[in-house]
Amino acid sequence: MTVYEGFEPVIGLEVHAQLLTESKIFCACQTSFGAPPNSRTCPVCLGLPGALPVLNKKTVAYAVRMILAVGGEVRRSSSFARKNYFYPDLPKGYQISQYSRPVGSGGQVEYILSNGRKKACRINRIHLEEDAGKSLHPESGDPYTRLDFNRCGVPLLEIVTEPDIRSPEEAYAYLVKLKLILQHLEICSGDMEKGHLRCDANISVRPKGKKKLGSRTELKNLNSFRGVEKALDYEIRRQIKILKRGDEVERATLLWDENRQVALLMRTKEESEDYRYFREPDLPELVIENEWIEEIRQSLPEMPDAKIARFIEQYGIRRYDAELLTENRSLADYYENVMAHFDNGQTAANWMLTEILGLLSDAHEGIGTFKVSPRNTADLLNHVQNREISGRTAKEVFREMAQTGKSVSEIIERNGLKQITDEKKLRLEIEKVLEDNPEQLEQYRAGKTALFDYFIGQVMRRTGGRAEPETVNRLLKKILEGIKK
Ligand SMILES: [Zn+2]
């Protein structure tokens, strides 16, 4: 934990989560990523005169999911407001958001710090709003700034915390947990690098033990989890330096420059009055029936903390492994599907976290497109458990399964990889190895017992790794003892 001698940082985070709906929040345009510029627009999201917004019900359902998941209150009645400002990527000249009456408030997100300490951050509000477009700044040789309005009207959920966070590490832990919740709810990809999750931070610093908050700055353009941590640390140290000089921190909005690792002044802070918020006249009051809220509550999936506890209990695996497996919902689902056909939870967890994640990371792939089905993975693990193939062979077989999508037995059969368990056969192999290595045998008999592993290795080599290790071990011991006497 970073320590700021004599000072305490006070941090609040505003996260914008892009909702995974097919269409935009106030029109039927598609939200699909990577479409040609301005091909996903219509009079509504371009704000042409006379065009009227219609609220996408799914965005409300997603907001309700999130509010319930963090234990907040879903407001039975809320409203939309216009946030007015000029920017080239905002053709309407305003953004439809929620201001004084957001759809949700309260609740909290719990997270565990690296030292194992549990903490919670209260949620101030959760509201719906639309995204703005994108300015594409000139590359070399292009004299124009180009505008792409495809993102105008893409639904965002803004999640604002209370100023409960006390260090950059906590901010990081909070964000990781928030992402996990969003992913479990299947309402946001949580991909910060792609801008599907964006974070702004409010930071102030006060002398330790003081209640009164210092004046704060807002830090924008934080586009990676580690970036948030670094930027916060930078800003905290900058503010402490100012306070130590006896000066005051000026309220301002700063832009984090990831490449240079510095925060640059963007503007001295505008107040919310500057946006001239007023009630959106083209949208009615948003009224949510209790019945619908209950329906959504019933359909909520198991949340990450509950899942971790269940994995430990049900599959008997280590907490650390349960945390890794539940870090990603598809991975957790895959594991559970393997466990439907296999009975050793820890073995399956080890296999997933080393073999499968290893192959996926080599191929820059996600579990969603992995060629081996959970059923086939379970099949392989059962082959190992029944000693039909060795652990080493299993790894090779698995690699081939991942490349070809073929089943275990198909590959074993064709490549003759079946493990040799026949004692007669193995005894012959061992005797041959000892015969071929008289010097080593001599040394072994003179007391160099470490050569035992050497003999095992030779047997493995002769059998192409197919000798069943336990049996070889046992037989070799027996034979060597016989020779000793
Ligand atoms: Zn549109």
Side-chain angles (χ1 to χ4, degrees):
M1 199 68 111
T2 320
V3 177
Y4 303 103
E5 213 59 62
F7 289 91
E8 178 181 59
V10 177
I11 301 162
L13 297 178
E14 292 173 17
V15 168
H16 287 91
Q18 184 178 319
L19 295 177
L20 281 170
T21 55
E22 279 151 44
S23 55
K24 295 185 180 178
I25 183 168
F26 299 121
C27 63
C29 290
Q30 283 178 5
T31 53
S32 52
F33 184 76
N38 300 307
S39 63
R40 300 279 185 267
T41 57
C42 75
V44 175
C45 52
L46 291 175
L48 301 188
L52 290 172
V54 176
L55 181 59
N56 177 344
K57 189 174 176 186
K58 208 167 198 179
T59 63
V60 183
Y62 283 5
V64 171
R65 279 182 149 215
M66 185 61 186
I67 298 162
L68 293 176
V70 298
E73 183 206 345
V74 179
R75 301 268 182 92
R76 294 286 315 281
S77 165
S78 65
S79 62
F80 287 93
R82 285 189 186 178
K83 180 182 184 180
N84 298 282
Y85 64 94
F86 172 79
Y87 207 75
D89 65 14
L90 189 70
K92 288 203 288 217
Y94 62 86
Q95 204 177 354
I96 304 180
S97 179
Q98 293 193 295
Y99 183 51
S100 55
R101 302 174 62 222
V103 63
S105 59
Q108 62 174 27
V109 171
E110 288 173 6
Y111 45 88
I112 299 174
L113 299 173
S114 53
N115 62 11
R117 211 156 58 88
K118 224 181 202 171
K119 274 215 64 173
C121 177
R122 289 167 302 152
I123 301 297
N124 173 286
R125 58 185 279 146
I126 293 180
H127 75 243
L128 282 163
E129 66 181 31
E130 61 177 341
D131 207 348
K134 248 187 205 165
S135 303
L136 308 165
H137 296 297
E139 287 172 31
S140 53
D142 185 351
Y144 302 106
T145 286
R146 296 170 188 275
L147 296 167
D148 179 4
F149 296 136
N150 281 351
R151 211 177 62 181
C152 285
V154 164
L156 300 177
L157 196 64
E158 183 167 339
I159 302 147
V160 183
T161 73
E162 297 287 353
D164 286 351
I165 295 169
R166 292 289 174 271
S167 69
E169 291 89 341
E170 274 186 39
Y172 178 83
Y174 165 82
L175 285 172
V176 169
K177 188 59 180 289
L178 192 73
K179 169 183 167 175
L180 196 59
I181 294 172
L182 289 162
Q183 286 179 334
H184 265 74
L185 294 172
E186 295 184 307
I187 62 174
C188 172
S189 76
D191 199 334
M192 209 165 179
E193 277 71 18
K194 281 192 189 138
H196 298 171
L197 203 65
R198 279 168 258 161
C199 177
D200 299 335
N202 286 301
I203 310 136
S204 67
V205 165
R206 62 185 171 194
K208 236 188 173 127
K210 285 268 158 50
K211 270 253 168 296
K212 192 171 171 282
L213 292 173
S215 74
R216 65 189 159 100
T217 57
E218 187 178 2
L219 202 49
K220 283 185 177 289
N221 203 31
L222 308 172
N223 41 27
S224 73
F225 287 87
R226 288 296 173 200
V228 171
E229 209 178 343
K230 278 194 193 135
L232 285 172
D233 181 58
Y234 176 94
E235 176 57 12
I236 290 163
R237 290 180 194 282
R238 189 188 72 92
Q239 290 191 14
I240 290 175
K241 227 182 263 170
I242 294 171
L243 294 180
K244 274 187 172 165
R245 279 206 305 260
D247 290 336
E248 284 210 5
V249 173
E250 194 189 1
R251 282 196 72 170
T253 300
L254 305 163
L255 215 56
W256 177 245
D257 185 331
E258 181 87 43
N259 293 328
R260 293 164 54 202
Q261 302 276 303
V262 291
L264 307 167
L265 183 71
M266 189 167 128
R267 54 175 179 248
T268 50
K269 178 74 190 174
E270 77 282 350
E271 299 295 333
S272 60
E273 298 91 82
D274 294 335
Y275 289 118
R276 299 290 184 271
Y277 276 102
F278 63 85
R279 172 79 193 266
E280 166 60 60
D282 291 338
L283 284 167
E285 181 94 3
L286 173 57
V287 177
I288 304 178
E289 302 287 349
N290 260 338
E291 230 171 73
W292 194 46
I293 298 173
E294 283 317 305
E295 208 177 287
I296 294 172
R297 196 194 299 277
Q298 296 305 320
S299 74
L300 283 185
E302 182 179 37
M303 296 313 290
D305 289 344
K307 188 167 273 186
I308 289 170
R310 182 170 62 79
F311 273 26
I312 295 169
E313 164 78 28
Q314 186 175 341
Y315 302 122
I317 59 176
R318 289 185 292 259
R319 163 164 285 276
Y320 180 69
D321 294 335
E323 282 173 1
L324 290 178
L325 286 169
T326 49
E327 237 170 46
N328 172 316
R329 189 167 161 186
S330 324
L331 196 68
D333 288 347
Y334 190 100
Y335 176 70
E336 296 217 75
N337 288 330
V338 170
M339 287 309 294
H341 309 282
F342 184 62
D343 62 9
N344 187 324
Q346 192 60 55
T347 300
N350 295 345
W351 191 266
M352 295 245 352
L353 296 171
T354 53
E355 297 310 315
I356 296 188
L357 289 190
L359 286 174
L360 290 177
S361 102
D362 287 348
H364 303 286
E365 230 188 301
I367 189 90
T369 50
F370 191 49
K371 267 217 178 97
V372 186
S373 70
R375 179 78 210 239
N376 277 346
T377 295
D379 203 17
L380 177 81
L381 294 176
N382 279 316
H383 269 77
V384 180
Q385 192 158 276
N386 301 336
R387 303 188 8 203
E388 288 164 79
I389 52 173
S390 70
R392 212 182 72 177
T393 306
K395 288 181 188 182
E396 282 164 34
V397 171
F398 196 62
R399 240 166 274 151
E400 194 172 336
M401 288 164 74
Q403 275 165 15
T404 61
K406 284 191 182 130
S407 74
V408 186
S409 23
E410 217 177 322
I411 294 170
I412 294 177
E413 220 54 15
R414 207 194 50 229
N415 300 347
L417 292 171
K418 222 170 170 118
Q419 187 148 276
I420 306 169
T421 49
D422 180 31
E423 293 203 9
K424 226 168 153 190
K425 230 183 202 170
L426 289 177
R427 191 178 276 272
L428 282 175
E429 296 291 350
I430 293 170
E431 279 164 359
K432 190 90 183 69
V433 164
L434 296 178
E435 223 178 279
D436 289 351
N437 295 279
E439 261 171 56
Q440 281 82 354
L441 183 59
E442 196 52 45
Q443 288 170 0
Y444 181 87
R445 291 168 75 180
K448 203 172 169 195
T449 48
L451 280 166
F452 188 83
D453 290 339
Y454 170 79
F455 295 133
I456 295 267
Q458 292 302 307
V459 174
M460 285 312 200
R461 243 179 76 180
R462 284 185 56 88
T463 57
R466 287 160 53 224
E468 201 271 307
E470 270 173 49
T471 313
V472 175
N473 229 290
R474 186 165 46 79
L475 290 176
L476 179 63
K477 230 178 245 168
K478 227 169 156 185
I479 291 169
L480 284 172
E481 263 165 27
I483 293 174
K484 249 187 186 171
K485 280 175 209 155

